[in-house]
Amino acid sequence: MTSKHWVLGCLIVLLLFLLVFFRKAALQILTPWLAPIIWDGTYDLWILNNQFKGKRIGLFVFAVKRYIGFLLPFLESAEHYFMVGYNVTYYVFTDNISAVQKVRLSNGRILKVLKVEADKRWQDISMKRMQILVNLTHDRLPKEVDYLVCADVDMVFNDHVGAEILGDLVATIHPGYFLAEPRQFTYERNPASAAYIPYGEGDFYYMAAFYGGTVEEINKLSTFCHNGIVADKKKNIEAVWQEESHLNKYLVYNKPTKVLSPEYIWDTNLPNGDLVKKKRFLAVHKNHKEIRN
Ligand SMILES: CC(=O)N[C@H]1[C@@H](OP(=O)(O)OP(=O)(O)OC[C@H]2O[C@@H](n3ccc(=O)[nH]c3=O)[C@H](O)[C@@H]2O)O[C@H](CO)[C@H](O)[C@@H]1O
Ligand SMILES: [Mn+2]
């Protein structure tokens, strides 16, 4: 081999190494089943607003026990950034209706405060959202909204969230896992759980703090998750990330029609924030011990 060949060989090896190394940083904009992954700059809002004009949007949120303290900033930020220009109904579930503070709502936006019993454990409160969704999407929502978005309350909208998130079944990539390999995903790995996902399956790790879809699709999703939660309870087990584990199971076998990038759930404590230019929906930092009990 001549030295020329050597240099060429080394260059090729270096190139391959760079390709493998930087492949991770190449942010996907299409899933393997050809659903769009929504990042800023990938869509034309003007076109989308024409397509979704007149659609009614629901925003479902639980504010139980201490979490009622997160509600006002959540709603005020939603008034600024969430589905501006659309008819929006907030469905707030709380155990303490009289503690809900007044919020100034723009035209076409209404707040419905509904009662829910407070469970003892925060895990049960969080999971109860699925049970409530089953009934809500069956009984009243078909008449009231076209799309339903489900969110955690310990969050604030921090930038535009609009028609680009609307679709039949939409879920958000967990901001801690958008660069991770599927083996690292914290899916439920216990075969006894209804949320079990075997290694080798699954595309993304989704976060249950922001997802949505048509009322019909959210009815199917919540029914699946609630049934799984009940089945696990009968066996005296609980999935590693509660309803989020069941949500991930559902979405492995019922692929979302649209996937939201971590722009739609961000936490400023996380690394790689430079890769996520717009931080549209931010986690509010909380003291877990204090707030959950
Ligand atoms: C990074 C991380 O830790 N993620 C998990 C954690 O998220 P989080 O730490 O974000 O969970 P969380 O404490 O925000 O609970 C979820 C949501 O339930 C509602 N809520 C909860 C407790 C309560 O006393 N009152 C109340 O209203 C509220 O809307 C809250 O935002 O826990 C969730 C609950 O299963 C999921 O498993 C998440 O994957
Ligand atoms: Mn949360």
Side-chain angles (χ1 to χ4, degrees), residues 67 129 152-155 207 209 283 286 292:
Y67 282 64
R129 295 183 288 179
D152 269 17
V153 76
D154 57 340
M155 308 281 301
M207 190 164 186
K286 61 184 191 284
R292 279 178 172 163

Side-chain angles (χ1 to χ4, degrees), residues 40-251:
D40 190 37
T42 60
Y43 59 88
D44 183 327
L45 193 57
W46 191 83
I47 298 173
L48 292 171
N49 275 332
N50 276 320
Q51 284 183 356
F52 290 102
K53 202 159 88 192
K55 295 292 181 205
R56 302 159 302 168
I57 321 295
L59 182 56
F60 166 87
V61 75
F62 255 41
V64 173
K65 294 206 272 200
R66 298 251 176 104
Y67 282 64
I68 194 126
F70 293 111
L71 186 60
L72 191 61
F74 174 90
L75 291 174
E76 283 179 338
S77 64
E79 282 298 295
H80 266 99
Y81 295 116
F82 180 77
M83 292 292 165
V84 173
Y86 285 80
N87 284 311
V88 172
T89 307
Y90 298 104
Y91 296 92
V92 173
F93 283 82
T94 181
D95 56 329
N96 189 356
I97 290 181
S98 58
V100 173
Q101 291 169 273
K102 278 243 166 337
V103 202
R104 279 185 71 94
L105 300 179
S106 302
N107 267 344
R109 303 172 76 101
I110 47 177
L111 172 61
K112 299 198 174 174
V113 183
L114 301 151
K115 175 97 180 167
V116 66
E117 293 307 321
D119 290 293
K120 249 202 173 124
R121 299 169 61 241
W122 67 267
Q123 292 92 335
D124 288 324
I125 298 174
S126 187
M127 289 191 288
K128 173 153 288 159
R129 295 183 288 179
M130 289 297 175
Q131 184 192 331
I132 296 293
L133 275 174
V134 173
N135 298 325
L136 193 69
T137 53
H138 180 264
D139 301 336
R140 59 188 289 179
L141 290 203
K143 290 168 267 157
E144 297 183 5
V145 299
D146 300 301
Y147 294 95
L148 184 66
V149 177
C150 308
D152 269 17
V153 76
D154 57 340
M155 308 281 301
V156 285
F157 293 92
N158 183 58
D159 208 326
H160 166 92
V161 173
E164 77 281 359
I165 71 158
L166 299 178
D168 285 0
L169 182 59
V170 184
T172 309
I173 299 174
H174 192 301
Y177 293 90
F178 71 110
L179 300 176
E181 296 295 330
R183 287 196 70 80
Q184 301 169 280
F185 295 166
T186 57
Y187 291 152
E188 176 55 61
R189 302 299 190 182
N190 173 7
S193 169
Y196 171 62
I197 301 170
Y199 284 101
E201 296 195 36
D203 321 281
F204 299 101
Y205 187 73
Y206 302 103
M207 190 164 186
F210 200 62
Y211 61 92
T214 58
V215 172
E216 194 186 340
E217 287 300 329
I218 299 301
N219 179 259
K220 287 194 251 172
L221 177 152
S222 55
T223 302
F224 175 90
C225 294
H226 176 59
N227 289 345
I229 290 165
V230 171
D232 278 9
K233 272 208 189 298
K234 277 195 187 132
K235 294 184 180 173
N236 243 322
I237 53 178
E238 186 172 288
V240 56
W241 289 113
Q242 295 81 34
E243 78 291 344
E244 184 172 271
S245 304
H246 295 274
L247 175 93
N248 271 281
K249 168 87 177 240
Y250 183 78
L251 294 172

